[in-house]
Amino acid sequence: MYPRDSYAVRAVNAVSKETGENNAAGSDQHAQRVVDRHIYLQDFRNVKVWRRSHELTLVLYKSVRRFRKGDFEIASQMKRAAISVESNIAEGSSRSTDSDYRRFLFMAMGSLSELHCQVILAKDLSLIVPAEFGGVCSLIVEVRRMLWSLIGRLNQSIEQDRAR
C-alpha cells in the first residue's frame, strides 16, 4: 500500500462519492486500485517494460552508429521504431482507463514488430554483426514478453471492471 498523500485521499474520496458507498469492502478495494494506479503511474519510469524498452533503444542507437553512411534510411527508421515502442508505453501509462492503456501497449507491440523486422534486415545486409544481432533480438523478445504480460493483467482488470 502506498502512503496516502493529499492526492491519494482526494482520489479515495472521489471514488467513494462516485460509488455512493461509505467504506464498503468493494468500494474500498476499488478506491485503492484507483489510488494505486494514479500514484504508481504518475511517472512512466516506474513501469518495468518502459525501462527495458528504453534500454533496448540505447543499445540500438549504439549499434546503428556503426552503419555505413549510405544506410542512413534504415538506421533512421530503426531508431524511430525503437523510440515509438517506449513512447507508446509512456503515453499509455498516463491514460485514465485500462482500455486506453492497453490500446497504446498494442501500438508499442506493433512498433516492436517493425523494429524486429528491421533488425533482421540489417543483419541480412551485414549492417549489424551477429553478436549485436543476438543481443538486440533477445531484448526485443524480452520486451515483447513483458508487453504481453502487462496486456494480460490489463485484460483481467478490464474484465473485473465489467463484472462490477
Side-chain angles (χ1 to χ4, degrees):
M1 187 142 163
Y2 298 98
R4 294 190 181 248
D5 62 7
S6 60
Y7 175 81
V9 171
R10 285 194 314 270
V12 170
N13 291 339
V15 170
S16 295
K17 286 179 187 175
E18 181 180 285
T19 61
E21 299 173 5
N22 287 330
N23 295 327
S27 176
D28 283 347
Q29 288 173 350
H30 180 67
Q32 188 58 50
R33 272 192 35 228
V34 169
V35 170
D36 289 349
R37 179 169 171 81
H38 285 286
I39 289 173
Y40 180 74
L41 295 177
Q42 284 178 6
D43 188 347
F44 61 86
R45 293 172 293 180
N46 290 329
V47 181
K48 289 178 184 177
V49 69
W50 178 85
R51 290 195 304 257
R52 202 66 173 148
S53 67
H54 182 68
E55 182 181 333
L56 171 62
T57 302
L58 297 176
V59 167
L60 184 81
Y61 260 73
K62 289 176 186 172
S63 293
V64 299
R65 270 192 209 137
R66 293 187 269 284
F67 283 16
R68 298 178 299 257
K69 289 191 187 254
D71 297 311
F72 169 78
E73 293 84 8
I74 190 169
S76 176
Q77 187 65 29
M78 289 170 73
K79 291 189 286 188
R80 283 195 305 272
I83 291 169
S84 180
V85 173
E86 66 177 283
S87 296
N88 277 305
I89 295 167
E91 185 173 355
S93 73
S94 70
R95 297 300 173 149
S96 62
T97 67
D98 289 343
S99 294
D100 270 351
Y101 190 9
R102 182 182 60 183
R103 186 170 55 88
F104 277 89
L105 293 179
F106 277 119
M107 285 189 265
M109 190 73 76
S111 295
L112 190 63
S113 293
E114 178 183 350
L115 176 61
H116 198 178
C117 173
Q118 293 159 354
V119 169
I120 292 169
L121 179 61
K123 179 193 68 96
D124 292 345
L125 295 171
S126 301
L127 299 174
I128 189 169
V129 296
E132 285 179 336
F133 173 77
V136 171
C137 282
S138 67
L139 277 171
I140 289 171
V141 168
E142 184 178 357
V143 170
R144 180 177 289 121
R145 180 188 53 77
M146 293 173 81
L147 280 170
W148 277 120
S149 176
L150 182 52
I151 289 167
R153 287 195 310 271
L154 288 173
N155 284 338
Q156 289 175 348
S157 175
I158 292 165
E159 289 303 315
Q160 286 173 356
D161 286 346
R162 285 184 184 151
R164 288 189 180 265

